[in-house]
């Protein structure tokens, strides 16, 4: 399953990409999106900084989720990581109040993110087209 991670800007994207590549299990799964990747659904030509990640079934999902939560805990200020699955489902995790989580709370959050990413794919877009489809968003504040 190919997912993408979206963060605030180029500096944050590079930092998260390097963080993920420090994990030996994730290193080969983390790719680099071409510069200037258009924001899906954006009519203003907005550009997103994306990190593509290739997850194998039952393999790296938990490790990736744990790495994202740990990265958020290490950041100053508020940061948001939006993880988008191939079916358009989005899982959003923010750093607000994440830094103070206990080890148990951190593990629980990483598990919830991994479970959200492993849900079965949603059925195809509605008859009116993908623009009518609202992505599922789970937030951790």
């Amino acid at each position: 399953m190919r997912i993408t991670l979206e963060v605030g800007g180029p500096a944050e994207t590079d930092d998260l990409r390097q963080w993920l590549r420090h994990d030996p299990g994730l290193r080969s799964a983390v790719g680099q999106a071409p510069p200037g990747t258009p924001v899906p659904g954006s009519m203003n030509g907005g550009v997103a900084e994306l990190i593509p990640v290739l997850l194998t079934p039952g393999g790296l999902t938990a490790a990736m989720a744990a790495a994202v939560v740990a990265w958020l805990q290490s950041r100053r200020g508020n940061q948001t990581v939006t993880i988008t699955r191939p079916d358009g489902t989005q899982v959003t995790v923010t750093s607000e109040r994440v830094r103070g989580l206990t080890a148990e709370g951190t593990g629980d959050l990483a598990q919830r993110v991994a479970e959200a990413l492993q849900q079965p794919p949603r059925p195809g877009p509605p008859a009116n087209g993908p623009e009518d489809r609202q992505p599922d968003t789970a937030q951790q504040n």
Side-chain angles (χ1 to χ4, degrees), residues 73 98-108:
Q73 286 183 304
V98 171
R99 222 185 316 191
L101 285 177
T102 64
E104 182 180 355
T106 300
D108 289 344

Side-chain angles (χ1 to χ4, degrees), residues 77-139:
N78 294 334
Q79 297 290 325
T80 299
V81 176
T82 301
I83 306 165
T84 305
R85 294 181 357 173
D87 66 355
T89 301
Q90 293 183 329
V91 178
T92 301
V93 187
T94 65
S95 63
E96 192 175 313
R97 289 184 243 140
V98 171
R99 222 185 316 191
L101 285 177
T102 64
E104 182 180 355
T106 300
D108 289 344
L109 177 57
Q111 182 176 353
R112 289 195 333 252
V113 171
E115 287 170 356
L117 293 173
Q118 292 173 345
Q119 294 294 316
R122 293 173 54 178
N128 293 339
E131 63 276 1
D132 293 337
R133 191 167 163 198
Q134 296 296 320
D136 293 334
T137 305
Q139 289 191 324

Side-chain angles (χ1 to χ4, degrees), residues 12-73:
E12 291 86 3
T13 302
D14 289 341
D15 190 53
L16 177 56
R17 183 179 291 111
Q18 291 304 320
W19 184 279
L20 294 172
R21 286 186 173 163
H22 278 101
D23 184 314
L26 292 173
R27 188 172 296 134
S28 64
V30 177
Q32 180 137 359
T37 304
V39 175
S42 173
M43 296 186 66
N44 63 1
V47 174
E49 294 291 329
L50 303 175
I51 302 171
V53 180
L54 183 61
L55 300 177
T56 56
L60 301 173
T61 307
M64 192 277 307
V68 166
V69 171
W71 180 79
L72 284 168
Q73 286 183 304

